[in-house]
Amino acid sequence: MDQDLKTELSKHGIFATTFEELYNWGRKNSVWPLTFGLACCAIEMIATTMARYDLARFGAEVFRASPRQADLMIVSGTVTKKMAPQVVRLYNQMPEPKYVISMGACAISGGPFRDGYNVLKGIDRYIPVDVHIPGCPPRPEALIHAFMALQDKISAQHLTGESRPRHLKRDLPSEFQVPELGEHGLEPQQNDEVFRNPLKVLQG
Amino acid sequence: MGKNLPIAPVDHPWATIVVLLIAAVVFGAIPLSLAWLWARLFSPPKPGIQKNATYECGLEAKGDAWIQLNVSYYLYAIVFLIFDVEAVFLLPFAAAFSGLSLAACLAMLVFLLLLVEGLIWACQKGVLTWA
């Protein structure tokens, strides 16, 4: 619908919308995160849900204890190599459409433990991440900002056409490869369908 | 409309119940069928092996759910039952003790005797001694 026509109509007290906008408005205001914390960032995540920061204002206070009922996975903290298969499996068990916020330096890249033998260098090696939040740990305001960025992303999605989100493309698989912890770390080291190596991206 | 029917529905004593029953079923069925329709038409179906797995804690299910417990646990069950049931009945018995008649007191003592009998049996079996 034409944006100018919409503003013109709203001046006359007529609210016009599309099915897509209404649908996305409902979706973005009812994102239920998974009850799932990995390290110290989880404490900030918990603080975000409490009365002082009050994530409930965004319709996301219902942390679900089962991946079957959750829309959003907040990877809050260091992902160890032992934990990574479980994280990917939980992501696979969430119903579509699903989103991932990678919270804090560890979840993005391994953070201060990047050189450790047992730390995964970023969860985006295995699952598609929608929003990254830098920080160690990020403050609750940062998580709220990430959440609002996710809401913007959801409301900008088109339900039809080639640019429609992944969950509406029927031929795409629903599950991502779960790595296995072998003798020399995780096997494979990254899922090439998901991971965009920053070095390769820089080189073009 | 009612005159053509053999029994006028309003006159029948159960008519209200029937109407309420139908209303209750319809009231429950409408949101359920709407949810089903919504799921059929709009929800993006992307099933998978892991998504349909039984266990939902991120771990893979191992082994059989039909595990067998050691049969010797029945002793614990019996001893637990003796003390549990005894405690449940002893408390009100003690609270109302001064106001009880002789018959009630005797009945309670018989009940206690039955439980104590179980305890003696367990004691003789050697359940109460630490191995």
Side-chain angles (χ1 to χ4, degrees):
Chain A
M1 187 173 191
D2 187 35
Q3 199 61 40
D4 294 333
L5 179 63
K6 235 168 104 171
T7 27
E8 188 60 35
L9 280 172
S10 70
K11 280 178 196 162
H12 297 287
I14 300 169
F15 175 70
T17 186
T18 58
F19 180 70
E20 185 178 278
E21 275 175 19
L22 198 68
Y23 190 67
N24 281 344
W25 174 78
R27 285 196 313 135
K28 79 168 189 180
N29 287 305
S30 61
V31 178
W32 290 1
L34 182 63
T35 313
F36 170 72
L38 287 173
C40 15
C41 280
I43 304 297
E44 300 294 317
M45 181 182 75
I46 295 160
T48 315
T49 64
M50 291 295 140
R52 189 179 179 95
Y53 297 100
D54 200 13
L55 198 61
R57 290 175 292 163
F58 302 91
E61 77 280 15
V62 205
F63 273 72
R64 306 309 297 184
S66 163
R68 312 243 195 259
Q69 302 160 358
D71 307 305
L72 168 66
M73 174 184 250
I74 302 175
V75 184
S76 51
T78 322
V79 188
T80 57
K81 284 182 180 170
K82 198 173 182 182
M83 193 64 190
Q86 277 72 263
V87 175
V88 179
R89 206 172 282 125
L90 279 177
Y91 179 75
N92 283 343
Q93 288 182 339
M94 283 162 61
E96 308 274 352
K98 49 192 170 185
Y99 308 97
V100 178
I101 289 179
S102 179
M103 184 182 183
C106 293
I108 293 174
S109 67
F113 313 110
R114 187 179 169 82
D115 295 329
Y117 68 96
N118 65 339
V119 172
L120 179 68
K121 295 172 180 65
I123 193 63
D124 56 346
R125 279 166 187 259
Y126 295 112
I127 55 178
V129 175
D130 292 285
V131 185
H132 295 85
I133 329 170
C136 187
R139 286 190 54 82
E141 291 94 332
L143 181 57
I144 289 174
H145 183 227
F147 199 81
M148 288 162 76
L150 180 67
Q151 286 190 321
D152 289 344
K153 187 175 178 174
I154 294 173
S155 58
Q157 279 176 340
H158 294 292
L159 300 178
T160 50
E162 214 27 63
S163 63
R164 67 191 191 277
R166 190 178 184 284
H167 68 271
L168 292 173
K169 294 176 179 164
R170 282 184 181 238
D171 44 329
L172 288 179
S174 71
E175 297 183 347
F176 291 89
Q177 189 186 11
V178 178
E180 270 184 52
L181 186 58
E183 217 171 305
H184 304 289
L186 287 169
E187 208 46 60
Q189 286 198 331
Q190 71 258 332
N191 186 347
D192 290 322
E193 289 168 28
V194 182
F195 184 51
R196 292 187 309 145
N197 192 331
L199 288 175
K200 281 181 187 165
V201 170
L202 277 179
Q203 284 163 4
Chain B
M1 177 192 144
K3 282 175 188 173
N4 296 336
L5 292 167
I7 305 163
V10 191
D11 293 341
H12 199 277
W14 291 92
T16 327
I17 302 289
V18 170
V19 168
L20 282 176
L21 197 72
I22 292 168
V25 169
V26 169
F27 189 75
I30 283 177
L32 281 177
S33 52
L34 279 179
W36 181 81
L37 264 182
W38 182 266
R40 280 299 293 271
L41 295 177
F42 296 112
S43 79
K46 273 196 187 292
I49 298 165
Q50 285 167 23
K51 197 180 271 179
N52 295 339
T54 324
Y55 205 43
E56 50 187 58
C57 290
L59 297 167
E60 270 180 312
K62 268 188 205 167
D64 198 3
W66 291 72
I67 53 162
Q68 290 182 335
L69 292 170
N70 196 330
V71 74
S72 63
Y73 281 113
Y74 82 99
L75 288 171
Y76 292 95
I78 287 175
V79 174
F80 169 77
L81 195 75
I82 292 169
F83 286 105
D84 190 54
V85 173
E86 204 159 350
V88 165
F89 283 97
L90 270 184
L91 216 72
F93 179 53
F97 186 71
S98 53
L100 285 181
S101 65
L102 184 68
C105 229
L106 278 176
M108 194 61 205
L109 282 177
V110 168
F111 171 70
L112 278 184
L113 200 70
L114 284 170
L115 288 176
V116 167
E117 191 186 345
L119 191 63
I120 291 168
W121 171 83
C123 202
Q124 275 181 344
K125 215 170 161 56
V127 181
L128 299 180
T129 47
W130 292 101

